[in-house]
Amino acid sequence: MYQENVVYGEVLGAGLIADIASPDGEGPFPVILSVHGGRWIRGNRKDNTAIDVREWAGHGFFAMSIDYRLVTGTPAPACYQDMFCAIRWVHAHQDTYRLDTDRFFLIGMSAGGHMVSLAATLGEGRFHRTGGWTEQPDTFTAVISVSGAYELRRLDWGSGWMPTGEPWDEARRYASPIEHVALNNRPILIMHSDDDRSIPVGQALDMVSALREAGAQHSFLHYTNRGHISIDSEVVADSLSFIQGLRPGV
């Protein structure tokens, strides 16, 4: 099953759109939700910063790739709120698509990596629910962050995270995943390369150090020459290995 332009939420009369794909069979199927990159200002659910949902369906997953409100149109944290709307949509449609929401994984690249990492460490935080499905859970199992950002105050394009009515520095501090690292964070796989010109590798190294110090479950794949890593076949293979290696009951 493959469907394009699925409306997963609605904000001020505008639909939030996703593509979904599901394997044949009875299920229940594990879930992978993809959050694209583009510095929160560009990108979409079909580009190389997002998964190919049909490919993941071939691996036995219910796969969903979302568009979200970009900061060029609606200031942050709208993009983050939309991601959580999609998480709740999955829970609301658990029976419809025969989903195993106890095996529910988020994957994001670049700005998407930032958002899934923030979800793993902060959760919904102080951001109120928008888009619908407000009575549904916001839970998931683990996240995969590909070339993600972890400290917005030390990132040049972190200036794009500019909520209205909040002090500039505090808003970026609160939206930095490294600020919320704790033992009970959701497990996270971090992939980063030394020659990433968009997000310095030091961001990943600092995040991994903080996770290690907190005792939080994590894995780190550290590359030397892969640049700003996109969602390619190697990322898919490494993501599947991470998912398969998670401790039962996580």
Side-chain angles (χ1 to χ4, degrees):
M1 180 276 294
Y2 172 63
Q3 291 180 258
E4 295 183 298
N5 304 318
V6 174
V7 178
Y8 69 85
E10 182 179 312
V11 180
L12 299 176
L16 304 172
I17 304 299
D19 294 343
I20 62 174
S22 185
D24 296 327
E26 295 300 317
F29 305 114
V31 178
I32 185 94
L33 171 64
S34 175
V35 186
H36 70 77
R39 301 188 174 192
W40 318 297
I41 65 172
R42 59 178 177 267
N44 63 74
R45 67 190 186 278
K46 297 179 183 294
D47 66 23
N48 67 354
T49 70
I51 65 170
D52 179 338
V53 292
R54 285 170 287 196
E55 176 184 13
W56 277 85
H59 291 298
F61 286 74
F62 175 87
M64 181 175 186
S65 184
I66 65 169
D67 282 347
Y68 51 81
R69 287 173 290 169
L70 302 173
V71 298
T72 46
T74 309
C79 49
Y80 192 68
Q81 292 166 306
D82 293 349
M83 178 186 68
F84 269 97
C85 179
I87 291 170
R88 299 192 304 271
W89 182 95
V90 168
H91 284 283
H93 292 79
Q94 178 175 352
D95 294 337
T96 304
Y97 295 104
R98 306 181 304 281
L99 308 181
D100 180 358
T101 54
D102 289 330
R103 295 184 293 159
F104 185 175
F105 307 95
L106 312 182
I107 182 170
M109 183 267 172
S110 192
H114 158 256
M115 289 196 285
V116 301
S117 300
L118 189 60
T121 56
L122 174 65
E124 285 189 299
R126 66 191 183 202
F127 305 126
H128 65 276
R129 293 185 168 195
T130 60
W133 319 107
T134 57
E135 302 305 314
Q136 293 294 324
D138 63 357
T139 54
F140 55 90
T141 307
V143 311
I144 299 149
S145 175
V146 184
S147 303
Y150 307 102
E151 168 52 279
L152 300 189
R153 293 173 297 179
R154 294 193 292 109
L155 184 66
D156 55 2
W157 54 265
S159 58
W161 191 275
M162 192 179 296
T164 58
E166 291 188 48
W168 186 91
D169 199 53
E170 168 57 20
R172 287 158 182 75
R173 184 203 66 78
Y174 188 73
S176 295
I178 199 168
E179 290 289 327
H180 308 284
V181 169
L183 176 62
N184 63 349
N185 292 163
R186 291 291 81 205
I188 181 170
L189 169 62
I190 290 176
M191 302 184 197
H192 220 100
S193 183
D194 287 338
D195 58 346
D196 189 325
R197 294 186 178 182
S198 181
I199 303 172
V201 71
Q203 293 242 340
L205 296 174
D206 289 346
M207 182 67 173
V208 170
S209 178
L211 290 164
R212 186 182 301 118
E213 184 176 345
Q217 187 175 351
H218 69 282
S219 297
F220 182 34
L221 296 177
H222 186 182
Y223 303 100
T224 59
N225 60 353
R226 294 190 63 194
H228 198 47
I229 307 167
S230 60
I231 306 294
D232 57 18
S233 59
E234 187 171 348
V235 166
V236 173
D238 289 335
S239 299
L240 288 167
S241 294
F242 168 72
I243 289 169
Q244 292 160 4
L246 287 171
R247 296 193 300 264
V250 167

